[in-house]
Structure formats: structure tokens, C-alpha cells
């Protein structure tokens, strides 16, 4: 941290404390486990002096930009990411970076998209006589959370 002291007509002085960005989820208990197909929104409030010129988002280390389903917004106090029609491929670690002359700040969260069980294909056909016992195994191949 640093201090910037400016003087005006005595006896007045202005003191400005400079510090890098710090992030706080808002609200702190935001869910990061949406269901596939839902709209997901995650908000961070931040403090910094001076204000960052820009904020950069990544998912699993790859740069993100606003586009078809992803909207990144920022103002002088908060940043948010909105993903519409969230899918399992959106799961991952999301990180926000900001730089100022006082230093850099970063924060992240892990998105874990829930989706219903997927059943495997029946691999063989069976011919039965009327009244014969029959069992069909419907074990899910994948699901989140695991079935």
C-alpha cells in the first residue's frame, strides 16, 4: 500500500490510500451448483484505489469474453458473470483478475453444473415367452451429482 498526500490552500490536506483490488462474493453464500438449463449469475463486490482499468475473466485458465450465453459486467464497485442455459461443459474454475498501479487482485470460484442421470443404450435384444421373468438394469452411465 502507498499514500498519496496532496495539499490545497492551508489548512486543508487530502490523503488518498492506494491499495490493490480485493474481492468479496456478494452475497457470500452464492450457489455454484446450478442445474443444467438454468441461468447462472455470480457477483463479486470489490474495493481498490485506484480503480482498475479493466477486469479479465477466465475459465480453467482460458480467457472469457461476453458472447452468446455469457455476459460479463463491471462497474466501480462490482463485477458479475451471467451464463444463460448453463450446460455441463460450463463446469470449471472461474477466475477474475484486475490490475492497478497499486497491484493486482484475483478471486475465483468453482462452477459444478448438475444434470440428470444418463442411461446407457441397450446392447442386445432378448426374446422371451409370455410369463417369463425379466429384469432390466437401468444403471446410469453418468450424472451429477452421482446417482
Amino acid at each position: 500500500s502507498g499514500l498519496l498526500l496532496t495539499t490545497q490552500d492551508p489548512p486543508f490536506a487530502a490523503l488518498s490510500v492506494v491499495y490493490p483490488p480485493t474481492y468479496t462474493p456478494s452475497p457470500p453464500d452464492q450457489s455454484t451448483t446450478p442445474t443444467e438449463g438454468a441461468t447462472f449469475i455470480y457477483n463479486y463486490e470489490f474495493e481498490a484505489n485506484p480503480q482498475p482499468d479493466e477486469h479479465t475473466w477466465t475459465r480453467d485458465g482460458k480467457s472469457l469474453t461476453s458472447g452468446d450465453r455469457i455476459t460479463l459486467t463491471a462497474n466501480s464497485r462490482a463485477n458479475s458473470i451471467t451464463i444463460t442455459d448453463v450446460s455441463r461443459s460450463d463446469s470449471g474454475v472461474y477466475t477474475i483478475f484486475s490490475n492497478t498501479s497499486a497491484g493486482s487482485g484475483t478471486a475465483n470460484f468453482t462452477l459444478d453444473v448438475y444434470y440428470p442421470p444418463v442411461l446407457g443404450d441397450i446392447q442386445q435384444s432378448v426374446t422371451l415367452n409370455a410369463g417369463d421373468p425379466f429384469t432390466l438394469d437401468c444403471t446410469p452411465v453418468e450424472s451429477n451429482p452421482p446417482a
Side-chain angles (χ1 to χ4, degrees):
S1 293
L3 296 177
L4 176 62
L5 183 60
T6 59
T7 59
Q8 297 174 353
D9 292 334
F12 301 103
L15 176 65
S16 179
V17 178
V18 296
Y19 50 94
T22 57
Y23 290 91
T24 305
S26 176
D29 59 349
Q30 294 177 85
S31 172
T32 57
T33 54
T35 302
E36 196 166 47
T39 295
F40 172 77
I41 301 171
Y42 201 84
N43 298 296
Y44 277 114
E45 289 183 354
F46 74 93
E47 293 185 21
N49 189 26
Q51 290 288 309
D53 291 328
E54 69 177 333
H55 305 274
T56 304
W57 283 90
T58 64
R59 181 182 67 225
D60 296 331
K62 295 178 183 160
S63 183
L64 289 176
T65 57
S66 288
D68 293 335
R69 296 182 313 105
I70 296 176
T71 303
L72 307 173
T73 57
N75 62 39
S76 63
R77 301 286 301 150
N79 288 278
S80 69
I81 182 170
T82 302
I83 306 172
T84 57
D85 193 24
V86 71
S87 71
R88 60 192 81 178
S89 65
D90 293 318
S91 294
V93 177
Y94 287 75
T95 305
I96 185 167
F97 301 94
S98 299
N99 287 310
T100 70
S101 59
S104 61
T106 184
N108 63 51
F109 67 90
T110 300
L111 181 64
D112 186 23
V113 178
Y114 282 6
Y115 54 91
V118 176
L119 301 177
D121 294 332
I122 296 175
Q123 300 297 319
Q124 64 187 29
S125 62
V126 176
T127 304
L128 299 172
N129 295 317
D132 286 349
F134 175 72
T135 302
L136 179 61
D137 181 14
C138 293
T139 305
V141 176
E142 64 176 311
S143 67
N144 190 25

